[in-house]
Amino acid sequence: MLDAGEVAMSLLFFGKDPNTDDDHCPTVWVDDENADLVLQGWKADDATQQKCLEVGSIPDTEAVIRIPARMVPQIRKACDAAEHSAELR
């Protein structure tokens, strides 16, 4: 049962980085309600953030993260699912 103000959310899990432990690794999901990708990744270092700031600000509500290239197959599957879900709406 949801408490007042809580929103039910359904995330479809697509995978974790296969080269990290189960507790601390980049992960990819798709939000079943709106087909958004939800990504967990490593926080970007200062040099990466500075490079990203060259094209615009990073609001407090956003973050720059890194996802390893080895996760491309999982992200591709999540993108395909999100695209398919969004087309059906």
Side-chain angles (χ1 to χ4, degrees):
M1 179 179 214
L2 296 176
D3 292 331
E6 285 187 324
V7 177
M9 179 184 285
S10 178
L11 295 179
L12 302 173
F13 171 76
F14 278 86
K16 290 187 176 196
D17 178 358
N19 288 8
T20 58
D21 65 54
D22 285 337
D23 290 332
H24 303 96
C25 57
T27 308
V28 62
W29 301 267
V30 172
D31 186 322
D32 195 34
E33 294 295 316
N34 59 17
D36 284 351
L37 292 176
V38 177
L39 301 171
Q40 174 184 335
W42 298 303
K43 291 180 181 179
D45 59 20
D46 289 338
T48 301
Q49 289 205 59
Q50 282 304 119
K51 192 69 176 170
C52 292
L53 286 168
E54 291 177 11
V55 297
S57 66
I58 304 168
D60 289 341
T61 57
E62 298 179 9
V64 176
I65 63 169
R66 284 190 174 271
I67 302 290
R70 63 184 165 262
M71 290 190 65
V72 167
Q74 296 162 324
I75 294 168
R76 185 174 291 119
K77 288 178 187 176
C79 288
D80 290 345
E83 183 178 47
H84 177 73
S85 180
E87 288 174 358
L88 298 177
R89 295 178 198 280

